[in-house]
Amino acid sequence: MPPRHPVSDLPTHEVINMPPLMGDRDLYETDIALKEALHREGGGWAEKQVQAVGKLAGSEQVMAWGDLANRYSPELKAFDRHGKRIDEVVFHPAYHDLMRTAFEHQLPNFAWNHEGEAGAHVAHVAMSYLYNQPEGGALCPIAMTYAVIPALRRQSNVADEWEPRLRSTRYDPRAIPASEKTGASMGMFMTEKQGGSDVRANTTRAVPLGAGGPGGEYELNGHKFFCSAPMSDAFLSLAYTENGLCCFLIPRWRPDGTRNALFTQRLKDKLGNRSNASAEIELSGTYAVMVGEEGRGVRTIIDMVQHTRLYCALGSSGLMRQGLVQALHHTTHRSAFQKKLIQQPLMRNVLADLAVESEAATVLSMRLGRAFDESAGDPAQTAFARIATAVAKYWICKRAPGHVYESMECHGGPGYIEESILPRLYREAPVNSIWEGSGNVICLDILRAMHKEPETVTAFMAEVDLAKGGDARLDAAIKSLKQMLADPADAELRARSVAERMALVLQGSLLVRHAPTDVADAFCASRLGSERSGVYGTLPAGSGFDAIIERAAGR
């Protein structure tokens, strides 16, 4: 018998020219653009909390939880072993680990637990951006739990009952009444099969159980087509009364301690966001409480939508940043044609271009955080947040899939296999562009804001004008944008062009004012100049590739 050799001695198993495992990585300390924005926008006082989340989010442990939570998707358990209807969703333990850790670090409620402190939303954005990088699925219920507070405050008796639960730092996944739990989470479902984004086409009906009206009790009957996070403790939804479309809070348990009539028909088999359950829900004699003015349901729930759109923008920014982090790591250690990939001129152009796009998304998301902070006392910031959030949601979310794909391509074949995080990031990337209004819906909302709230345009242009004189290409783009906004012809037909130009001008303004010259110059040349391509890796030859890449790598 021939001698046996250990696997490492076999010639075909000699491993060379492969990047080392990344291991624990501090996602905050290596993100220079984020660190600068945290301090610039007023959240520097919370740096220790943000640092803790950044270190945690980049750890091998949390990355492993994200992988497991996606490999073992949630399962619907409609009945218990005795045949009783329970409509519960069973998650892999890793998902609960992600959620528990998020709650302990105040991911759902930091801004509200520090309300009134300048920069609270800025810090909240930074932490959420970081935690989205290892796994976006957990961010869905976290985003809705954060976003629901302003809507609930339109109904004081509901807010008094639910807000303390939602501000808890304890994660309690038990399927029991919220009054018996140490913390609670919130979901939302509006869309129906026949209506989709046109929520006024909904057919769900609400019948009062008493006098009715704001804060009154109702019984709902209908079918909701997309309910994310169906194990939340309560949901906001829309239904019609005789007086119009209204907003309702639907708890999972009735006040008498019995299960509410929320019947889960199936879980969605989704492209991405697989760790987070999404379901179809049947409402049949379902208990609910009206929130806000009767007949003004869309206006009530839009407060929640505005805040979840912020999460869409910051979440996509986080996905882009993590894709870039992975690409930089791989190309730093992988060689081809007698050079490290990162030393190859064309690869340097791609990496620098990805870095510029990522930084533009990051600084815009953080600027929105400040606008949310300052909205309480400054009408101009309220107006700016109203339109800039929609613009950012449209553009950043639209750019994320292509950005993550390009980061994957930097890896070649190793980036395409499931052992890499890149396929998961790529599947996750489209969700934010679809969630809370797909591209066309957001563009039409931007037009609606311009028409009905002209002060939003005034506030937006005041912001971008702060950079006038800083770059001739930006100045020309601002002038062009003003001409576009002044022309009402074919407004709907041109809505995407308008939204894109608004986003690029706003990002350019922020980078010209706050980023290093190399980053701002590369952005203006490639996004606002006359030779714009749209394909990554087409920065002009004179761009500061070395400085841009070093900055993106955290050096």
Side-chain angles (χ1 to χ4, degrees):
M1 179 179 292
R4 300 179 63 185
H5 299 279
V7 170
S8 60
D9 290 341
L10 297 175
T12 60
H13 284 267
E14 183 181 5
V15 179
I16 59 172
N17 194 27
M18 291 297 289
L21 294 175
M22 189 176 292
D24 293 335
R25 182 183 180 90
D26 192 325
L27 298 182
Y28 175 74
E29 288 299 330
T30 54
D31 194 337
I32 296 173
L34 178 67
K35 291 175 69 175
E36 291 175 353
L38 180 70
H39 289 273
R40 179 177 65 248
E41 306 296 357
W45 58 270
E47 187 172 43
K48 286 186 177 180
Q49 292 93 324
V50 179
Q51 283 176 325
V53 173
K55 185 173 292 187
L56 191 68
S59 67
E60 285 190 279
Q61 179 64 79
V62 172
M63 289 287 182
W65 287 343
D67 178 67
L68 287 170
N70 276 271
R71 287 181 183 274
Y72 302 96
S73 299
E75 296 181 356
L76 174 62
K77 186 177 181 182
F79 301 90
D80 68 11
R81 63 189 295 264
H82 301 294
K84 295 180 180 179
R85 188 81 188 241
I86 57 175
D87 293 283
E88 295 180 8
V89 179
V90 179
F91 295 88
H92 188 277
Y95 180 81
H96 293 300
D97 288 330
L98 288 166
M99 292 292 290
R100 171 183 48 78
T101 303
F103 271 74
E104 288 174 353
H105 287 80
Q106 301 185 64
L107 266 295
N109 46 40
F110 184 89
W112 309 122
N113 288 340
H114 297 83
E115 195 168 9
E117 295 184 58
H121 278 90
V122 171
H124 192 120
V125 168
M127 290 190 289
S128 301
Y129 159 95
L130 290 165
Y131 204 71
N132 191 71
Q133 294 184 41
E135 173 43 38
L139 263 289
C140 178
I142 288 169
M144 292 188 289
T145 302
Y146 155 78
V148 75
I149 297 294
L152 293 185
R153 288 177 176 175
R154 287 182 174 269
Q155 194 61 51
S156 59
N157 62 315
V158 175
D160 290 346
E161 178 183 359
W162 282 94
E163 188 169 337
R165 300 166 182 165
L166 301 174
R167 292 171 66 162
S168 171
T169 58
R170 301 279 297 278
Y171 173 59
D172 190 341
R174 292 177 296 169
I176 58 176
S179 59
E180 302 174 19
K181 299 178 71 169
T182 56
S185 64
M186 184 71 68
M188 174 174 59
F189 45 80
M190 293 190 291
T191 59
E192 298 181 6
K193 284 180 286 191
Q194 75 288 340
S197 297
D198 183 7
V199 295
R200 295 193 182 278
N202 286 2
T203 61
T204 300
R205 292 294 184 262
V207 178
L209 296 176
E217 298 178 314
Y218 284 77
E219 197 172 79
L220 273 53
N221 292 279
H223 188 106
K224 296 296 180 177
F225 196 52
F226 233 108
C227 169
S228 286
M231 283 304 291
S232 300
D233 296 287
F235 310 87
L236 282 197
S237 191
L238 297 173
Y240 275 101
T241 68
E242 293 182 352
N243 296 310
L245 192 60
C246 305
C247 179
F248 292 91
L249 181 137
I250 306 172
R252 284 191 60 82
W253 297 77
R254 295 172 179 270
D256 63 4
T258 60
R259 292 180 186 271
N260 203 358
L262 287 159
F263 302 111
T264 304
Q265 302 303 306
R266 60 168 173 161
L267 297 186
K268 303 289 192 178
D269 187 6
K270 298 175 292 183
L271 167 69
N273 199 250
R274 299 184 71 86
S275 68
N276 171 50
S278 296
E280 276 186 57
I281 302 289
E282 191 80 24
L283 307 176
S284 181
T286 306
Y287 174 84
V289 177
M290 184 180 289
V291 177
E293 185 180 348
E294 188 168 6
R296 299 274 290 170
V298 174
R299 182 63 194 89
T300 300
I301 210 166
I302 205 69
D303 289 335
M304 184 176 186
V305 171
Q306 173 78 340
H307 286 72
T308 49
R309 285 179 177 173
L310 172 63
Y311 257 81
C312 290
L314 70 86
S316 291
S317 301
L319 292 175
M320 293 161 74
R321 173 61 188 175
Q322 183 55 213
L324 175 62
V325 167
Q326 297 290 327
L328 289 168
H329 176 76
H330 182 86
T331 57
T332 297
H333 297 282
R334 177 81 164 177
S335 296
F337 310 110
Q338 293 79 52
K339 287 183 180 180
K340 296 294 186 185
L341 286 176
I342 201 169
Q343 296 172 332
Q344 301 285 357
L346 191 51
M347 180 61 80
R348 294 183 70 72
N349 198 324
V350 172
L351 292 170
D353 212 351
L354 291 172
V356 168
E357 188 76 29
S358 175
E359 180 159 348
T362 300
V363 297
L364 177 49
S365 296
M366 293 293 281
R367 175 62 183 90
L368 288 178
R370 177 159 67 87
F372 276 66
D373 275 316
E374 296 178 352
S375 289
D378 187 342
Q381 288 302 304
T382 302
F384 174 73
R386 165 67 180 94
I387 198 165
T389 301
V391 167
K393 195 276 189 194
Y394 171 75
W395 185 243
I396 295 174
C397 299
K398 190 67 69 180
R399 295 292 281 174
H403 191 279
V404 174
Y405 155 73
E406 199 70 56
S407 296
M408 180 189 293
E409 189 170 298
C410 291
H411 292 69
Y416 196 69
I417 60 175
E418 289 294 337
E419 289 174 316
S420 161
I421 192 177
L422 270 303
R424 178 151 53 86
L425 295 179
Y426 187 56
R427 286 193 298 270
E428 186 74 17
V431 69
N432 289 322
S433 193
I434 296 171
W435 185 38
E436 299 299 33
S438 57
N440 287 354
V441 171
I442 297 298
C443 289
L444 293 175
D445 186 52
I446 293 169
L447 294 184
R448 187 181 303 110
M450 290 190 221
H451 177 67
K452 293 189 174 182
E453 304 169 73
E455 66 274 13
T456 61
V457 179
T458 302
F460 186 92
M461 297 311 303
E463 176 71 22
V464 300
D465 279 343
L466 293 174
K468 284 185 69 174
D471 186 283
R473 292 155 300 195
L474 176 61
D475 288 348
I478 293 174
K479 181 179 179 181
S480 174
L481 174 60
K482 289 179 179 178
Q483 292 171 344
M484 291 178 75
L485 297 181
D487 181 7
D490 299 319
E492 286 195 20
L493 195 65
R494 299 182 297 111
R496 284 191 175 217
S497 296
V498 171
E500 177 179 341
R501 177 59 55 162
M502 292 178 74
L504 291 174
V505 167
L506 179 54
Q507 288 181 324
S509 175
L510 290 167
L511 292 177
V512 166
R513 282 181 278 155
H514 305 306
T517 301
D518 288 311
V519 175
D521 184 68
F523 182 92
C524 291
S526 58
R527 275 72 170 172
L528 302 176
S530 59
E531 298 182 6
R532 183 183 176 203
S533 164
V535 176
Y536 291 108
T538 57
L539 295 179
S543 301
F545 299 106
D546 292 348
I548 294 170
I549 292 172
E550 288 295 299
R551 176 177 171 83
R555 295 190 286 267

